[in-house]
Amino acid sequence: MNAMIHSSEDDLVFLDEPEASDISVATKPQKTWRIMIIDDDPDVHSATTFALGSLEIQHRALSFLHAYSAAEARDILQQETDIAIILLDVVMEQEDAGLQLVSHIRKTLGLSDVRIILRTGQPGYAPEIDAIRDYDINDYKTKSELTRTKLYTAVTSAIRSYEQICAISASHRGLEQIINASTELMALQGLQNFASGVLVQISGLLGLDAEGLVCARQGNLEQGADLQDLRIIAATPAFAGLLDQNLDQLPQAAVIERVQRSLQERRNLYEAQTTTLYFSNVAQRDFTVYLDTGLQLGEMDKRLLEVFCSNISVGLDNVMLASRLHNYAFYDPLTGLSNRLKLLQTLNETLQSPLKQQSTLSLIDIDHFAETNDALGHQFGDMLLCSVADRLVAYFGADCQLARVGSDTFALLGDEEMVCPEAILGLFTRPFEVDRQEVQLSATIGLVQLADYDGQGSEALKDTNIALKRAKAHQRAGHVYFTRDMGVEIRERVRLMHALRAAFENQRLFLVFQPQIDMASGRPVGAEALLRWKTDDGKFVPPDQFIPIAEYSGLIVDIGEWVLRTACYELVHLRSLGYTDFQMAINVSQAQFSHPLFMQSLHRALQDTQVPPECIELEITESMAMKDPDLLIKTLYQIKQLGISISIDDFGTGFSSLSYLQKLDVDRLKIDRAFVNEIKDASSDASIAKMVIQLGQNLGLSVIAEGVESEMQAQTLRSFGCHLAQGYLFAKPMTREDLHAWLAHSMPN
Ligand code: C2E
Ligand code: CA
Ligand code: CA
């Protein structure tokens, strides 16, 4: 910021932080290392200054410059000089604000000395290796990685590097060459390429045609580790035959001795004919470069090499870091297989190539893996997955793309001849061995043939998943190929779900009522409320279609509450018309019933409508009883306490044990329409209907038959002792207005 002179009269002069030129000691060497923090989060500024404030490096304290946006940083950098380090947030105004700023610093402002440490809050948002290379970035860390100690280390090593660069910046040759050399090196992927690059660059730097080799210690670095651990990872032609061998294979004992000494003493050795450079703890390894220089290096060359080495250490760390980030992004750490992202990449490539015509994608899901995991522990589960992965790789690995896309789900992409149910399921016939124990597993698979597939990779994967779900619902250890119909069906369901939500919000749902009759007297005793959906173009969507969608989308909770209240209001209205001896039956589905707020909404409906609870009957299905017996028993008890009665709908279609039925304490059984339907003539099989009626009598429960369509059925039911019925024979479901008219006619007050 500029100094600002307020007014000459009151002599108020505001001066911001004195700049070097403002103070008399400007000509003295700078006393502090200047560190610029660029971050849009003020907390990061304070945390950083707090962490580093008291630090002294090479007897100099640190001082800080602050910028809170890339734009502000540009302004400051225009005026400031001698900044040693920039701690830079990658993501600020825009996702790439940080990297653009780096480009501005290096390219537009031409500042090549300042060291840059990138930081990001999001681990996933890593700069490309290209950016690290192109802009000579010292370090890259996620903010969570930057603990106080790590921050010290990063800043200390960056300052050292900066100091060395400054120290020889007089020597143009050195500086430029080093930067160029490091830049070239960064372009090389992988450790071995990098190591060979180091040899080439050092020779170039020294202007020599030196032969040499690079050794890396394998495994952890323990002091005095033996020769076995030293591997030759790069070599010039004179040593080329020994590449990838252990150092002890080398015939020249003198070379072995120097490499060992450099490692042991952890320093560079400059000798009459040779130079051995030591790089400490780079990517968790020690590494040495041995060179036949043929002469003793001069002071200038040594300094050059030292700067080069410190730059290289950081660079190499970055190479390792970038490949680690790459690994995290594309590979599954447990099995080493590709992950979902990598699979999608390959899948998209396949879909664009002629290979697509004969390729199949398959998802392989281990059956009951969660149970195995729970029973035997996660560690065992992990080993089991690895052993499945190994077997898949052994069989398919060479020809197909394998990935782990879910905890116990693998994906396989390859030629349709190979990727077929027989081959895949065949691998599961033998047990897997884990921890010297045999475990027999089975798998269920879904497949998609990619020929004629016109979607994206992600859609193909989704469709495979649809096929897998089908297969699982069908039968474990089986397989299902995706067909277009499945996709259409699912999309249709999704469309219906949106339409249903809109219909409910726009009050396009309404209730109809189907009377229930006492066949002995012929009088209506109540009605069942049934939900209707009339679409904008006047068509009815049958409840058998939309109720399941409402259930699985959770919409049923709101819709069900509305049904409950509307039916109660209608009953109150009927009572006001004089039909006081009349019951309302209301359907309640599983999702509604197990909702934690169900009892509360039931209470509220009773309270708000003032309906007498004994006139309300809730219809639950038998299958509901099977899902969560304890919850059901508890809820039923609470409902009964309110005075509401319960009937079991569609009775006979699900299975419930008799003793369980007694525990449930229900009031009524509703014989399913299918069993009434079986009563076709006097001689037909009416045994189930008969049995249900007897069961009801034995348990002291009332029984109602639904779907009664003929006089003959009514008669048969009556002869069995069932006197309550509902069905087209008596009345179809009707709107409230029609019900009023119907009641007035059949039940004159
Ligand atoms: P449900 O509870 O078994 O309802 C009886 C169904 O049988 C109704 O079909 C009714 O119209 C039909 N029906 C009645 N008498 C006869 C007959 O003599 N012959 C024939 N062929 N059918 C007859 P609807 O209204 O299509 O309802 C179908 C299912 O949708 C219901 O079966 C119920 O499970 C569900 N449902 C309807 N409304 C609701 C509701 O408000 N909430 C919940 N959760 N489910 C509902
Ligand atoms: Ca019903
Ligand atoms: Ca029913």
Side-chain angles (χ1 to χ4, degrees):
M1 262 183 269
N2 287 327
M4 178 172 72
I5 297 169
H6 217 236
S7 103
S8 54
E9 260 177 42
D10 53 13
D11 260 358
L12 254 182
V13 179
F14 291 101
L15 285 174
D16 280 305
E17 287 204 344
E19 289 173 31
S21 56
D22 294 334
I23 44 177
S24 55
V25 289
T27 44
K28 284 193 180 174
Q30 227 185 341
K31 286 276 169 35
T32 59
W33 298 113
R34 309 187 82 198
I35 298 188
M36 183 171 186
I37 305 168
I38 309 174
D39 203 303
D40 56 1
D41 181 357
D43 289 348
V44 172
H45 288 259
S46 48
T48 311
T49 46
F50 177 72
L52 297 176
S54 55
L55 188 64
E56 252 194 15
I57 299 172
Q58 323 273 63
H59 308 297
R60 279 207 228 168
L62 310 180
S63 66
F64 299 94
L65 292 156
H66 298 273
Y68 295 89
S69 67
E72 192 185 347
R74 274 169 209 240
D75 289 342
I76 296 177
L77 283 164
Q78 204 73 49
Q79 297 158 35
E80 296 290 347
T81 51
D82 294 320
I83 297 172
I85 299 178
I86 295 178
L87 291 165
L88 173 57
D89 191 10
V90 180
V91 182
M92 289 183 291
E93 297 100 309
Q94 295 96 32
E95 276 205 328
D96 61 349
L99 286 180
Q100 278 183 14
L101 183 60
V102 172
S103 158
H104 179 78
I105 293 168
R106 294 284 192 232
K107 292 204 167 143
T108 316
L109 298 177
L111 301 175
S112 53
D113 296 2
V114 59
R115 302 293 81 208
I116 298 177
I117 297 176
L118 288 183
R119 304 197 280 188
T120 175
Q122 294 127 291
Y125 192 82
E128 302 287 289
I129 176 131
D130 294 0
I132 293 179
R133 178 188 74 215
D134 291 351
Y135 298 130
D136 182 33
I137 287 165
N138 266 65
D139 229 338
Y140 167 77
K141 292 274 168 4
T142 60
K143 285 178 187 167
S144 59
E145 255 186 304
L146 275 182
T147 56
R148 196 171 182 195
T149 332
K150 288 219 179 105
L151 194 59
Y152 276 151
T153 323
V155 167
T156 311
S157 81
I159 286 203
R160 249 179 233 133
S161 177
Y162 173 74
E163 186 188 34
Q164 286 165 327
I165 287 173
C166 290
I168 58 158
S169 69
S171 161
H172 268 267
R173 179 188 77 128
L175 188 60
E176 240 147 63
Q177 274 187 339
I178 286 169
I179 304 285
N180 288 344
S182 335
T183 304
E184 301 243 313
L185 273 174
M186 298 302 164
L188 304 171
Q189 296 269 342
L191 188 62
Q192 310 218 331
N193 278 342
F194 188 87
S196 324
V198 167
L199 283 177
V200 174
Q201 295 300 337
I202 292 181
S203 287
L205 207 62
L206 299 175
L208 296 170
D209 202 5
E211 293 283 351
L213 50 84
V214 179
C215 267
R217 210 199 286 273
Q218 306 298 113
N220 286 338
L221 30 128
E222 294 287 312
Q223 278 282 324
D226 54 28
L227 283 175
Q228 314 287 313
D229 294 333
L230 294 170
R231 173 79 52 89
I232 298 170
I233 60 169
T236 57
F239 296 100
L242 293 150
L243 196 60
D244 260 345
Q245 310 261 342
N246 281 343
L247 187 66
D248 56 3
Q249 303 296 309
L250 201 67
Q252 297 93 325
V255 177
I256 299 180
E257 186 274 328
R258 286 192 179 99
V259 168
Q260 270 185 310
R261 189 146 48 87
S262 163
L263 278 169
Q264 256 154 24
E265 295 174 11
R266 306 182 142 248
R267 65 182 184 94
N268 298 345
L269 309 175
Y270 300 103
E271 288 168 306
Q273 303 285 318
T274 67
T275 296
T276 316
L277 303 171
Y278 168 74
F279 297 77
S280 84
N281 195 17
V282 173
Q284 277 106 54
R285 298 196 212 184
D286 277 355
F287 141 174
T288 43
V289 175
Y290 167 84
L291 289 167
D292 268 336
T293 40
L295 49 87
Q296 175 120 36
L297 296 184
E299 269 318 299
M300 195 59 210
D301 285 333
K302 283 189 204 168
R303 296 194 75 171
L304 261 176
L305 275 184
E306 306 221 307
V307 178
F308 180 73
C309 291
S310 76
N311 249 17
I312 288 306
S313 297
V314 172
L316 188 54
D317 243 354
N318 277 334
V319 167
M320 299 309 282
L321 181 74
S323 67
R324 229 173 63 214
L325 289 172
H326 184 267
N327 274 343
Y328 278 132
F330 292 108
Y331 293 93
D332 165 43
L334 177 68
T335 59
L337 296 178
S338 304
N339 65 9
R340 191 189 148 81
L341 205 61
K342 176 91 175 136
L343 173 81
L344 280 176
Q345 250 180 20
T346 321
L347 191 55
N348 280 328
E349 282 161 23
T350 308
L351 283 169
Q352 300 215 326
S353 82
L355 272 181
K356 154 185 164 175
Q357 285 314 319
Q358 66 269 4
S359 289
T360 295
L361 172 66
S362 165
L363 283 177
I364 306 163
D365 189 274
I366 314 293
D367 296 333
H368 310 295
F369 182 75
E371 285 97 311
T372 312
N373 223 11
D374 287 344
L376 300 171
H378 285 259
Q379 219 178 347
F380 192 88
D382 282 354
M383 289 194 281
L384 202 51
L385 286 173
C386 288
S387 132
V388 172
D390 288 347
R391 191 173 293 177
L392 288 169
V393 168
Y395 190 85
F396 293 106
D399 309 290
C400 305
Q401 165 88 30
L402 262 165
R404 179 166 171 238
V405 294
S407 70
D408 57 349
T409 311
F410 297 90
L412 181 62
L413 171 67
D415 192 278
E416 60 190 15
E417 302 261 305
M418 283 207 82
V419 182
C420 63
E422 298 72 38
I424 300 169
L425 296 178
L427 293 182
F428 288 83
T429 49
R430 277 181 297 123
F432 292 82
E433 210 190 271
V434 170
D435 216 8
R436 285 192 299 277
Q437 298 192 55
E438 296 208 326
V439 183
Q440 184 61 57
L441 291 178
S442 69
T444 303
I445 59 183
L447 307 102
V448 165
Q449 281 168 320
L450 298 185
D452 308 325
Y453 200 88
D454 41 14
Q456 284 274 310
S458 55
E459 286 160 40
L461 194 58
K462 253 188 230 156
D463 289 348
T464 320
N465 206 21
I466 290 172
L468 174 64
K469 280 203 178 133
R470 276 296 159 101
K472 282 209 256 183
H474 220 234
Q475 149 204 39
R476 292 296 163 121
H479 75 273
V480 164
Y481 274 95
F482 178 80
T483 62
R484 251 165 224 271
D485 298 351
M486 288 182 202
V488 170
E489 206 181 298
I490 301 260
R491 274 187 278 282
E492 174 62 17
R493 274 226 297 265
V494 172
R495 193 191 63 76
L496 216 57
M497 188 168 85
H498 287 299
L500 177 60
R501 187 184 303 272
F504 180 53
E505 279 162 8
N506 301 329
Q507 297 169 359
R508 307 301 255 140
L509 300 185
F510 62 99
L511 289 183
V512 292
F513 304 91
Q514 185 177 33
Q516 299 179 328
I517 313 293
D518 177 357
M519 292 189 286
S521 63
R523 282 178 68 89
V525 293
E528 177 180 5
L530 292 160
L531 194 55
R532 291 292 175 265
W533 173 11
K534 190 175 179 182
T535 59
D536 288 337
D537 51 10
K539 286 198 199 101
F540 283 97
V541 184
D544 289 337
Q545 245 176 58
F546 73 80
I547 296 280
I549 287 169
E551 281 173 343
Y552 112 141
S553 64
L555 267 172
I556 193 70
V557 174
D558 289 339
I559 295 180
E561 184 171 358
W562 176 84
V563 167
L564 194 66
R565 298 174 70 86
T566 310
C568 287
Y569 273 120
E570 179 53 26
L571 185 65
V572 169
H573 182 63
L574 287 169
R575 292 174 67 82
S576 75
L577 295 177
Y579 305 107
T580 47
D581 201 10
F582 200 80
Q583 270 214 327
M584 185 64 77
I586 303 167
N587 293 286
V588 177
S589 65
Q590 164 80 35
Q592 232 180 317
F593 206 76
S594 45
H595 194 274
L597 296 179
F598 176 68
M599 281 312 294
Q600 200 175 316
S601 75
L602 191 58
H603 259 291
R604 259 210 317 263
L606 294 183
Q607 232 160 36
D608 294 352
T609 59
Q610 288 295 307
V611 76
E614 61 278 8
C615 295
I616 299 293
E617 180 182 78
L618 297 185
E619 293 192 4
I620 63 169
T621 59
E622 215 181 345
S623 54
M624 246 161 91
M626 302 308 294
K627 284 223 174 91
D628 187 350
D630 294 337
L631 175 78
L632 186 73
I633 292 172
K634 209 177 98 207
T635 316
L636 286 189
Y637 175 77
Q638 292 174 338
I639 294 172
K640 299 280 310 222
Q641 290 294 98
L642 291 176
I644 292 176
S645 53
I646 305 283
S647 86
I648 297 196
D649 204 354
D650 305 339
F651 190 81
T653 54
F655 167 79
S656 36
S657 73
L658 281 184
S659 60
Y660 184 54
L661 193 60
Q662 274 168 310
K663 260 198 234 154
L664 283 185
D665 188 22
V666 300
D667 303 272
R668 179 175 285 179
L669 303 180
K670 206 166 179 185
I671 307 173
D672 192 66
R673 197 164 71 225
F675 306 126
V676 174
N677 208 23
E678 273 167 19
I679 313 173
K680 293 212 169 64
D681 52 65
S683 63
S684 68
D685 184 12
S687 54
I688 295 184
K690 190 172 182 180
M691 209 180 69
V692 174
I693 294 163
Q694 277 171 0
L695 183 68
Q697 284 164 350
N698 292 341
L699 294 175
L701 304 178
S702 117
V703 176
I704 184 167
E706 72 178 336
V708 179
E709 293 183 357
S710 70
E711 189 54 53
M712 192 274 302
Q713 289 168 338
Q715 239 167 40
T716 312
L717 289 162
R718 259 187 304 228
S719 74
F720 293 154
C722 171
H723 296 286
L724 293 173
Q726 180 183 336
Y728 294 170
L729 173 65
F730 310 101
K732 291 203 165 178
M734 51 188 111
T735 60
R736 56 195 294 259
E737 294 80 11
D738 290 348
L739 178 68
H740 298 164
W742 185 88
L743 280 175
H745 177 256
S746 62
M747 212 177 160
N749 282 316

